[in-house]
Amino acid sequence: MNTSDFFYELPPELIAQTPPAHRGDSRMMTLSRETGQTAHRRFSELPELLRPGDCLVLNDSRVIPARLLGADDAGPPIEVLLLRDEGDCWDCITRPGKRTRPGARLSFGNGELRAEVVRVDETGNRKIRFLYEGVFLEILDRLGQMPLPPYITEKLDDPERYQTVYAVHPGSAAAPTAGLHFTQEMLGRLVSEGVAVARLTLHVGLGTFRPVKVENVEEHHMHTEFYEVPQEAADTINAARAAGGRIIAVGTTVTRTLETVVREDRTIPAASGETGIFLYPGRELRAIDGLITNFHLPESTLIMLVSAFAGYEHTMAAYREAVRERYRFFSFGDCMFIS
C-alpha cells in the first residue's frame, strides 16, 4: 500500500488544543471490525461495552519533562528534546541543529545542568552526555517542560493532564494518549464489574510519530522503543484469554508491545527488550480482540496500525465520519472503541 492511501482531510479546528474539562468527558465512536458499523457514544459508557472476564491492558509509562531550554557557550538559546536514555548518553533532538555539533557544550538552569554533544547519528539525532550533581530526574522536574506535540499550540495549565492516572515508570517522550480518558473511578468500576486490568510498560519515543517519508508503506522503518511485560501482566492476560475473555488494548503502544511478544498460540510471555514493530494492513494482529485509541494524524504509522486491526476500508470510512460528526482529533481529542 502507499502512504497516500492513508490521507484524509482534517479541518484544523478539529485538532483538540486542550484536554476536556474533566477526564473522560469525551466522545467515543464504536467501530465493528466485522461489519464496519459505527455508533456514537460517550467514553463514560465504556463499562456497558465491556464484559466480565474481559482484560483491559494499560501502558503505565510516565512522560518525563523532556523539553529543555538552555544555551551553548556562545549564549544563544538551544532547545533539546530528550528521547531516550541510552546509559552513558541520551538520544536527543536539538534546535537549531547546526549549533549542536560534536563537542558543543550546553548549559541549562544557570549551570545546574550541563551537557556535551558526543556525536550525531545517521538520522540527525544528537547523542548528549549530561553532567550534574544529584538525581537527574529530579533536576529534570525542575528545569524541563512537558514535550507536547507540535500541533498543540495552547499552553497546558496542568502538566498532569498529559499523564495517565496510572502512569508510574518515567521514560516516555510522549503520552500514551488513549489512556488519558481514564479516571481512577472508571478503572475501579470496571474491576468491580469483573473486568481484569493488566499493566505493561512501553516508553514512547517520537519514532511512532515521525512522518512516513516513503511512498511504499513497507519501506518505512520504525525507531525502537523499550518495553517490559511483567509476569503478573502476562498471567492476567493469559488467564482472561483461557477463560474466553477479550483482550482490550488501551492504545497503539499496548498493541505494539503485545504483538511484539505474542506466541503462536496467542499467549503472552513475560518479556522485556526493544521493539521496532511496524503494523500495517497485511500484517496479522493476533494478540488483541479490541482496541481503544484516539484519532490519529493522516498518513501516520498509527492510522496504519488501526487499519491493520479494523480493516483499511472500515478505518478510513470511520475517520471520514468522525470529521463529518466534528469529533476532536489527536492527543487531547475523542476516542474510538474497535471490537
Side-chain angles (χ1 to χ4, degrees), residues 74-94:
I78 295 283
E79 178 180 341
V80 175
L81 181 62
L82 308 182
L83 300 182
R84 162 188 180 116
D85 184 358
E86 298 186 343
D88 61 333
C89 297
W90 278 78
D91 184 32
C92 304
I93 294 173
T94 61

Side-chain angles (χ1 to χ4, degrees), residues 64 66 81-92 126-130 132 136-137 140 170-173 203-205 224-226 274:
I64 60 174
L81 181 62
L82 308 182
L83 300 182
R84 162 188 180 116
D85 184 358
E86 298 186 343
D88 61 333
C89 297
W90 278 78
D91 184 32
C92 304
R126 270 58 179 172
K127 307 298 183 180
I128 296 180
R129 179 179 296 117
F130 288 93
Y132 54 90
F136 182 71
L137 288 179
L140 205 58
S172 281
H203 289 322
V204 187
T224 60
E225 296 164 313
F226 172 82
E274 302 285 331

Side-chain angles (χ1 to χ4, degrees), residues 190-225:
L190 291 172
V191 170
S192 70
E193 294 180 0
V195 175
V197 175
R199 293 171 171 82
L200 54 76
T201 304
L202 182 136
H203 289 322
V204 187
L206 295 188
T208 302
F209 305 96
R210 287 184 183 276
V212 179
K213 296 182 178 180
V214 294
E215 184 57 20
N216 183 347
V217 165
E218 295 182 16
E219 295 176 1
H220 178 71
H221 296 284
M222 299 282 286
H223 285 65
T224 60
E225 296 164 313

Side-chain angles (χ1 to χ4, degrees), residues 253-284:
T253 60
V254 169
T255 304
R256 293 180 66 242
T257 303
L258 294 180
E259 293 297 333
T260 295
V261 303
V262 65
R263 299 184 177 116
E264 286 296 325
D265 63 358
R266 301 187 74 193
T267 59
I268 300 296
S272 64
E274 302 285 331
T275 180
I277 193 170
F278 178 28
L279 300 170
Y280 53 87
R283 295 285 301 268
E284 180 187 6

